Amino acid sequence: MTAWQIALVGVAAFCAGAMNSVAGGGTFFSFPALLAAGVPPVAANASNSVALWPASLSGAWAYRNELARYKRYLIPMGIVSFIGGIGGGLLLLATKDAVFSKLIPWLLLFATVLFAFSGRISAMLRGADAGKPGNSPTSLAGHAVVSVYGGFFGAGMGILMLASLAMSGHDDVHEINAIKNLLSAIIYSVTVMTFVIAGAVDWPYTMVMLATATLGGYWGASIARKIPALWLRRFIIAVGFVLTIFYFYKTI
């Protein structure tokens, strides 16, 4: 690693940690930075998941009291998250770098559009009467798709999961966020184990990102109330679209 590569990845991970703690969308910074540093696409995605993994665990722990009353409901959802996360991680490992490189702009576009319209989607779904929350075959199938997507490419998974939970009958935003944090932590944990066992992680870059992303997370949390979230969301959306256009151009 050269000095500029360390600086690029470190700063990007710091921004990713800060953005995730404030408004989400941190992957739009850290994942492209790894690609720019020369890390192969599959290894970059695996390393990015490992680097941002601790944040998902801390988010789940913060909601432990709210989750206590959903133990029976969360067991089957957790099992689906576990299996789907493994499936998505193995799918990524089976995908060649050349194929994944062609998928990157489409995945970024999907995640960016989803992030841009997440507020409207959530509002529409919360306004719909979906009935009492439960583990119906349809809700479990929908969550399975989200879990596989999260194991394969984490960007946008949170928005997909929020929509899936809202359609399953959850209408309290704090309740939805608590369940989302726990299930996301399960998916990230199992994919991280899959990537580590498979030797797909670029550890020198990952260690730099782990340190700076953690610092960024603390910093982001401390200024979250001082910076309008709307400005940050617009900035993330702009970055997402710029990166999408750039990677589409690279595939031409």
Side-chain angles (χ1 to χ4, degrees):
M1 293 189 299
T2 63
W4 79 266
Q5 289 172 322
I6 294 174
L8 173 65
V9 171
V11 171
F14 180 90
C15 293
M19 289 298 178
N20 281 345
S21 67
V22 177
T27 297
F28 290 124
F29 294 89
S30 52
F31 177 63
L34 284 167
L35 295 178
V39 181
V42 172
N45 196 39
S47 300
N48 183 69
S49 295
V50 174
L52 300 182
W53 171 53
S56 68
L57 294 177
S58 61
W61 179 254
Y63 279 100
R64 61 190 181 280
N65 293 328
E66 289 83 353
L67 292 168
R69 58 194 175 112
Y70 285 102
K71 288 182 180 179
R72 291 185 179 180
Y73 169 78
L74 290 172
I75 289 176
M77 293 289 279
I79 293 173
V80 171
S81 299
F82 184 87
I83 296 173
I86 292 177
L90 293 177
L91 182 62
L92 174 67
L93 295 176
T95 304
K96 295 182 179 179
D97 283 317
V99 175
F100 192 68
S101 294
K102 293 180 180 179
L103 290 175
I104 287 173
W106 294 101
L107 292 168
L108 285 174
L109 176 63
F110 177 70
T112 303
V113 171
L114 205 62
F115 188 84
F117 293 97
S118 60
R120 295 182 183 178
I121 294 172
S122 297
M124 284 179 5
L125 292 172
R126 284 199 301 270
D129 184 10
K132 184 179 179 180
N135 288 317
S136 67
T138 302
S139 65
L140 289 175
H143 184 62
V145 173
V146 175
S147 300
V148 172
Y149 174 85
F152 184 76
F153 189 70
M157 178 185 66
I159 304 301
L160 278 174
M161 194 174 295
L162 289 173
S164 175
L165 290 170
M167 287 187 290
S168 297
H170 298 276
D171 56 6
D172 182 86
V173 64
H174 297 294
E175 174 185 290
I176 292 175
N177 203 37
I179 297 173
K180 184 264 295 181
N181 281 349
L182 175 64
L183 298 179
S184 296
I186 294 174
I187 294 170
Y188 277 124
S189 297
V190 70
T191 52
V192 163
M193 288 189 291
T194 303
F195 296 150
V196 170
I197 292 173
V201 179
D202 190 313
W203 283 110
Y205 285 114
T206 301
M207 296 307 295
V208 172
M209 293 176 68
L210 277 168
T212 57
T214 301
L215 291 174
Y218 280 113
W219 180 77
S222 67
I223 67 164
R225 297 178 180 178
K226 301 177 182 178
I227 298 179
L230 180 61
W231 294 0
L232 289 174
R233 287 184 60 83
R234 288 175 176 172
F235 179 66
I236 293 170
I237 291 167
V239 170
F241 276 119
V242 169
L243 291 173
T244 297
I245 293 171
F246 173 75
Y247 284 106
F248 267 121
Y249 175 77
K250 285 189 66 175
T251 59
I252 297 176

